[in-house]
Every structure is written in C-alpha cells, then in structure tokens.
Amino acid sequence: MDNTMDLTASVSEAPVVVSAPKPNYNNLQGNVDVICIVYQDGRIIPLRFRVKDEDGEEHVYTIREYKDLSGRGAYTTSDGIYVTDRILFFECRILVLGQLRRVRLYYNRTSQVWTARF
C-alpha cells in the first residue's frame, strides 16, 4: 500500500516573498555607539550610530539631518530626559526602510555616554 500523496496540485505557482521582520524601535532605546566629528572649539556633529535591539542584533544608522538643541538651560524633554548644560541634545533624522524617522541622541559629558530615543 502506497502512503504517498501528490502535493503538486496544492502548491501555488506564485513565488513566496519573505521579508525580514521590522525591528521594534521602542526597544532600541538605550546606550549607543556614535561616530561623530569633534571640532577644536568643542562642537560635535553626530554622523552615524549603532544600537542593539532586544535580540542583541546590531543596527547601524547614518544620520541624514541633525539639529543641535543643546545649551537651552535645564529642562525635561518630551521623551522624559532631564537635560542640563552637561548634556548635549541632538534631534536627528535617519533613513529606516525607506522612510525618514526622527531619533534623539543625548550625550552626557560627565559619564561620556550616548543615549538614543526613537
């Protein structure tokens, strides 16, 4: 007795497209590695950053635009970060899956740590 079945009739002719899952950007917040330009006068321009997601996978983003929002005194930003003169604050735009997204980068001059908020 033959227990095999012919599955060719049930298989679709159309190709199957599998795309990589999108990272959960809310879980990418945290400490990041940043490549930047530091001028002699102390100005800093962030160029690129690297962050790990919850699975430990690294994502690297090139900064397309940035605005330095530092030096405005002490206040709490809309994403809950208390900014002082010791914190550099950059609002940046990065390209993610063909769309520009906003990310905020914070640099603590005391601890020398960069932090990102998507």
Side-chain angles (χ1 to χ4, degrees):
M1 180 158 134
D2 187 9
N3 289 332
T4 61
M5 294 176 43
D6 182 11
L7 298 177
T8 57
S10 64
V11 175
S12 168
E13 295 290 327
V16 176
V17 177
V18 178
S19 60
K22 294 180 182 178
N24 182 352
Y25 295 104
N26 294 326
N27 293 333
L28 290 179
Q29 302 180 85
N31 293 351
V32 295
D33 298 322
V34 177
I35 295 175
C36 58
I37 297 172
V38 180
Y39 289 98
Q40 290 178 356
D41 63 5
R43 288 180 299 136
I44 294 177
I45 298 176
L47 301 175
R48 182 179 290 194
F49 68 94
R50 177 176 55 200
V51 62
K52 287 185 180 180
D53 65 15
E54 60 203 13
D55 297 325
E57 184 177 340
E58 290 184 345
H59 301 271
V60 177
Y61 299 102
T62 299
I63 296 169
R64 304 293 180 154
E65 304 170 18
Y66 80 97
K67 187 187 306 182
D68 187 350
L69 300 174
S70 308
R72 298 182 179 192
Y75 66 99
T76 301
T77 64
S78 60
D79 49 349
I81 302 295
Y82 184 69
V83 177
T84 66
D85 290 335
R86 295 188 180 270
I87 307 275
L88 298 179
F89 171 28
F90 298 92
E91 186 168 276
C92 305
R93 301 252 185 246
I94 59 172
L95 193 62
V96 179
L97 301 173
Q99 295 182 357
L100 278 178
R101 287 186 54 102
R102 181 188 68 146
V103 62
R104 292 179 170 188
L105 293 177
Y106 300 90
Y107 179 66
N108 185 318
R109 293 180 188 188
T110 304
S111 64
Q112 299 180 344
V113 172
W114 285 91
T115 305
R117 294 287 186 265
F118 282 82

